[in-house]
Amino acid sequence: AQSVTQLDSQVPVFEEAPVELRCNYSSSVSVYLFWYVQYPNQGLQLLLKYLSGSTLVESINGFEAEFNKSQTSFHLRKPSVHISDTAEYFCAVSDSNDYKLSFGAGTTVTVRA
Amino acid sequence: DVKVTQSSRYLVKRTGEKVFLECVQDMDHENMFWYRQDPGLGLRLIYFSYDVKMKEKGDIPEGYSVSREKKERFSLILESASTNQTSMYLCASSYRPSGIGDEQFFGPGTRLTVL
């Protein structure tokens, strides 16, 4: 099973500032990568995923993540955050031949005006 | 929209009680999952079901069992609740039988407190 490390547990950020959430996973030949977001008092929902193809993937609300195989990373970025981006963000990884997702510990993003 | 519902948002039980957590999905998904979410640990898979009456243990199945008698419903059972099972429990479902690479759709969670 994969091991997933989210390097920051808390990220405070001001509105309209950029944010980067870091995610590293244990090495594997082939992986699928996901970012999920959990808004307060809600379940998780998929933000974006990488299965194959372009290493840069984007979400509809301005987030993007880049798969870096050599560094076994899948960092999430947004150039300008809104108050509504306040949430907990989870990186998840699966081997490409396994249904099981391994989740990181989560990063709480708090956006302040 | 896919909807995954969980029977309770908050539940308080006593040590030794038998506890049932219910999850229902309305999109005819093949796969259903139970996770527990704890601060600093992320989500950990308890059990997984890929078909009616079929189940597989996840990473932390000890102290739990599951039941899937109908495709849309997946129950998590704590046979004898203990204080270390106080946690947030999340149910999820995904579409394809293989489940590999598929998005998982999550319910809102049940926060269980065992006293």
Side-chain angles (χ1 to χ4, degrees), chain A residues 8-21 81-82 85-87 89 107-113:
Chain A
D8 306 292
S9 59
Q10 307 266 352
V11 174
V13 58
F14 286 105
E15 193 173 20
E16 297 183 7
V19 70
E20 179 180 73
L21 309 184
V81 295
H82 302 291
D85 293 323
T86 293
Y89 293 81
T107 298
T108 299
V109 173
T110 304
V111 182
R112 304 170 186 168

Side-chain angles (χ1 to χ4, degrees), chain A residues 21-57:
Chain A
L21 309 184
R22 295 176 292 169
C23 174
N24 288 90
Y25 60 94
S26 52
S27 182
S28 180
V29 174
S30 183
V31 294
Y32 294 148
L33 299 153
F34 305 79
W35 276 99
Y36 281 84
V37 59
Q38 185 177 33
Y39 298 106
N41 298 313
Q42 295 185 26
L44 277 71
Q45 52 189 278
L46 182 69
L47 191 58
L48 47 76
K49 68 179 180 181
Y50 170 80
L51 301 183
S52 64
S54 172
T55 57
L56 185 67
V57 290

Side-chain angles (χ1 to χ4, degrees), chain A residues 36 38 41 43 49 90 96 99, chain B residues 9 37 42 56 100-101 104 107:
Chain A
Y36 281 84
Q38 185 177 33
N41 298 313
K49 68 179 180 181
F90 292 93
S96 60
Y99 64 86
Chain B
R9 291 301 304 272
Q37 180 183 5
E56 281 191 20
I100 297 172
Q104 291 185 17

Side-chain angles (χ1 to χ4, degrees), chain A residues 77-99:
Chain A
R77 302 181 183 91
K78 188 170 185 178
S80 177
V81 295
H82 302 291
I83 298 287
S84 59
D85 293 323
T86 293
E88 190 162 18
Y89 293 81
F90 292 93
C91 181
V93 181
S94 68
D95 288 332
S96 60
N97 61 354
D98 192 358
Y99 64 86

Side-chain angles (χ1 to χ4, degrees), chain B residues 66-97:
Chain B
V66 290
S67 171
R68 193 167 180 200
E69 297 295 320
K70 293 185 178 180
K71 190 175 184 179
E72 67 271 19
R73 188 180 297 270
F74 192 33
S75 303
L76 180 69
I77 303 154
L78 288 67
E79 294 289 342
S80 178
S82 64
T83 55
N84 62 11
Q85 293 178 309
T86 291
S87 186
M88 171 71 86
Y89 289 87
L90 294 173
C91 176
S93 69
S94 69
Y95 174 58
R96 291 182 300 171

